[in-house]
Amino acid sequence: MPPRELRLSLAQQLGLVAIPEGTHAGRAPEASEWDAARAAWRERGSDACAICLEPFAISAQVLLSCSHAFHETCLAAFEAHAAAQAAAPEAPVVAPPLACPLCRKTEYHKMRVTDAGRAYITAMVVRIQAWWRSVSQARKYKALRLAAPPPAHPTRRRAWLVDKLAATSDAMLAAVEATHSEADELCALIDAQLAAARSPHDPKPPPLPPSLSGTEWQAVYLRALDRGCDECTICLGSLADPQRPPTLLSCSHVFHAACIASFEAFTLEATPTCPICRAPFAKHAV
Ligand SMILES: [Zn+2]
Ligand SMILES: [Zn+2]
Ligand SMILES: [Zn+2]
Ligand SMILES: [Zn+2]
């Protein structure tokens, strides 16, 4: 907002009434005057905006030449409100000049300042540093408390030793439990692998010898004739020997009756299988 022109009254223009102090008569204040205004504001030690009563924090802030400071937005709202009042139909013909909301000094000049913002940031940094220092010191103290007993304090020393002993025994128990469960897992793994390795060799329930009808025996006999075997593969003797009657098996292999009987007596299997084709068999005299 451009600085307002100083509108002197007729009495002021004629020198009958003194021009109020600090109006600067419309001229922008010198740097030294700004320094004085800022020093006066700091001396007052106010860190809150007098319009909204909130702390300045990091919001934009303006210092007036009368040494009062406000939020930039608060002062803009105040000026807009004053301008609206001056333009209202019920306003007096000669509108009152715009004045500082605190000291009513007219013809003030404004300067954006960051003093309160910087002070706020510094305060926050100090708070963060203090918090971090307390956290790190608490950690250090905790580590120290675990590492060394409190010196020359019998009660606290005793409590520390009790805690330490409890922690040590807990750690030992946990270690034992951990190794125990590892050993259990290893045993279970070995058992599972052994079972998997054995499964192909598991003894199956012995197959039952087939029971054949008369016509089926006839078919088996024809297959044996087709093969044209005339020798017992157990004793390599002739099957045509009248002293030694042959026996037909359901798998169509033929042996001497005495040979297959002694084979059955000799074998370890619960259900004997044919010495040639390993099929469980039923016998039929031929
Ligand atoms: Zn404010
Ligand atoms: Zn003021
Ligand atoms: Zn034989
Ligand atoms: Zn056979």
Side-chain angles (χ1 to χ4, degrees), residues 151-244:
H153 197 299
T155 319
R156 280 167 56 201
R157 213 180 158 79
R158 183 184 161 79
W160 183 87
L161 288 170
V162 167
D163 284 354
K164 188 82 176 170
L165 192 64
T168 309
S169 76
D170 282 354
M172 283 173 70
L173 277 176
V176 167
E177 272 170 21
T179 49
H180 183 66
S181 69
E182 272 172 23
D184 285 353
E185 274 173 28
L186 185 63
C187 287
L189 185 67
I190 290 172
D191 286 350
Q193 286 182 348
L194 272 179
R198 274 186 193 140
S199 58
H201 306 292
D202 273 349
K204 293 188 179 68
L208 293 174
S211 63
L212 275 65
S213 64
T215 48
E216 284 169 332
W217 276 120
Q218 196 64 38
V220 169
Y221 181 65
L222 289 176
R223 268 161 58 204
L225 282 184
D226 279 350
R227 202 180 297 117
C229 55
D230 53 356
E231 187 177 74
C232 167
T233 45
I234 296 177
C235 66
L236 302 181
S238 170
L239 287 171
D241 186 349
Q243 301 295 316
R244 308 175 70 192

Side-chain angles (χ1 to χ4, degrees), residues 66 68 100 102-103:
C66 61
H68 293 122
C100 165
L102 271 183
C103 65

Side-chain angles (χ1 to χ4, degrees), residues 14-99:
L14 294 176
L16 299 174
V17 174
I19 298 171
E21 190 80 9
T23 55
H24 310 300
R27 137 189 95 77
E30 307 279 336
S32 60
E33 287 168 324
W34 276 125
D35 287 346
R38 177 179 267 152
W41 170 58
R42 279 202 191 142
E43 199 178 322
R44 227 174 286 123
S46 160
D47 62 347
C49 164
I51 296 177
C52 67
L53 301 182
E54 293 286 331
F56 287 116
I58 50 171
S59 309
Q61 174 200 3
V62 284
L63 177 68
L64 305 193
S65 49
C66 61
S67 87
H68 293 122
F70 307 93
H71 284 130
E72 194 171 30
T73 47
C74 291
L75 188 68
F78 168 78
E79 286 173 344
H81 174 70
Q85 272 195 329
E90 65 272 17
V93 179
V94 180
L98 193 58

Side-chain angles (χ1 to χ4, degrees), residues 244-265:
R244 308 175 70 192
T247 289
L248 174 65
L249 304 194
S250 52
C251 59
S252 83
H253 292 120
V254 185
F255 304 94
H256 290 126
C259 290
I260 195 69
S262 53
F263 172 79
E264 282 175 314

